[in-house]
Each structure stands twice: as C-alpha cells, then as structure tokens.
Amino acid sequence: MVPESLVIVVSGPGGVGKGTIVDLLVERDPRLWLSRSWTTRERRDGEAADAYIFTDGPSFESRISDGGFLEWTEFLGNYYGTPAPDTSSLSGRDLVLEIELDGARQVKEQHPDAVLIFVLPPSREEQERRLRGRGDPNDKVFARLRKAEMEEPVGMSIADHVVVNDDLSSTVDQMMAIIESERSR
C-alpha cells in the first residue's frame, strides 16, 4: 500500500447498496480508486460485467497461494477476495474497498489505520426487497438475511463510522463528508 493513500473500507451485509454507493463515490471523486474484487460466483442477470472480476475456483486458489489478495473469504460456496493493489494504480489516490465483513476485519487487522464505514439497511424488510430486486434466489436471500443478523453487531463494533442507507443521495453525501474529514486528519 502507498503510505499517503487513505484506505477506505465500505462494508455491510448483502443488499445494503454497497456497490451502488461505491460506484457513486468513485464517480463523484476522482481522488478515489476502486479495487475490483474477485469472485467465483456466477454473474447475476443484469449485473455489470465489471462488477467483479469473475473467475473460477482453481484460478482464485492459485492467487491465494501466491499471496495476491489483501483479504479473501468463502461465502455461500463461493470465494470473494480483494486483490493486493498495484501501487502504480493508486498514484496518490485513495483506495476504496467494497467488501464483506470478514474481509473488512482482515484489512483492519493488517492496516489498523484503514477507515471502515459500515453500511446498514433501513430495515430488514427493505434489505430483503433489495436482495430480491437484484435477482437473488430465495435460498440466497434467506442466507444473506440470517448472516446480516449475525454480522451487524460485529460490524458496528469494529467500524469507524456507521451509515444507514435509507436515501441513496443522502448516504453518498454523508460518506463523502466522512472521507473528507478523514483526509484532513
């Protein structure tokens, strides 16, 4: 990691809008650089091809062996991981990671100065609606909702900032204010 770069970790349970929030943050602020996570899960219908680097299990496991991830985890039978950034990609920009709680915990352990923003849904019903809206099958929706109930207390306890995504525009404004505040430290 580049010492002058801020590491911003955006985490939260599935269906809180992490991907949408992060895309808007990066679009709004050219000083932010988003690291694209790898996954072995199938791409959802309608999901952008660059939402993740979609790969297979052997390729992912090879990258694990080579130490090529900042963090990685297995969830619902698939791998997810954040590649170690090429420092030339950052060139003075701040690194944004959009990752699950396991990964956020790993990054905070390795980089205690990383800023963890934990995003919550306004309600469990809204979270379920969002998960269904993006096309998750019933078994995955229920698994993600169960996991959220376990993750939220942990995420809130280790987070530097907690944000409820009840209005996308307000959430992005609030997170930009957090980032600006952290930059001025």
Side-chain angles (χ1 to χ4, degrees):
M1 298 263 206
V2 179
E4 66 272 7
S5 292
L6 191 61
V7 177
I8 303 152
V9 179
V10 178
S11 189
V16 297
K18 295 181 300 284
T20 302
I21 292 166
V22 165
D23 287 346
L24 290 170
L25 289 171
V26 170
E27 184 180 297
R28 187 186 287 188
D29 187 340
R31 295 174 294 169
L32 296 175
W33 186 81
L34 175 62
S35 173
R36 288 282 172 212
S37 295
W38 284 38
T39 187
T40 57
R41 78 160 169 76
E42 292 295 317
R43 193 170 138 215
R44 294 183 192 106
D45 287 341
E47 184 173 31
D50 66 349
Y52 285 91
I53 296 170
F54 294 95
T55 190
D56 59 26
S59 298
F60 197 103
E61 289 166 355
S62 175
R63 184 139 182 158
I64 291 170
S65 297
D66 294 342
F69 289 107
L70 279 177
E71 60 79 26
W72 66 272
T73 192
E74 188 175 352
F75 177 61
L76 298 178
N78 294 299
Y79 288 123
Y80 295 83
T82 303
D86 170 7
T87 53
S88 65
S89 308
L90 291 175
S91 60
R93 295 189 288 174
D94 296 321
L95 176 63
V96 179
L97 308 176
E98 173 207 335
I99 55 182
E100 299 295 327
L101 185 59
D102 266 356
R105 192 176 319 149
Q106 290 175 51
V107 170
K108 281 294 272 183
E109 286 170 5
Q110 295 172 38
H111 304 281
D113 55 336
V115 178
L116 172 54
I117 304 172
F118 193 72
V119 182
L120 294 170
S123 68
R124 195 66 66 223
E125 295 77 22
E126 177 60 15
Q127 181 186 10
E128 181 176 350
R129 187 191 70 72
R130 292 175 185 175
L131 288 167
R132 291 186 188 288
R134 71 183 192 186
D136 285 9
N138 274 343
D139 62 328
K140 303 284 188 204
V141 169
F142 293 128
R144 287 186 183 279
L145 293 173
R146 277 192 309 277
K147 185 163 176 140
E149 289 176 6
M150 294 183 300
E151 284 182 337
E152 287 176 5
V154 175
M156 292 186 326
S157 72
I158 66 170
D160 298 297
H161 305 275
V162 176
V163 176
V164 176
N165 182 18
D166 56 353
D167 175 76
L168 184 59
S169 178
S170 297
T171 299
V172 172
D173 288 345
Q174 185 179 357
M175 290 177 68
M176 281 305 309
I178 290 168
I179 292 166
E180 288 303 328
S181 172
E182 292 289 344
R183 282 175 171 155
S184 68
R185 288 184 175 207

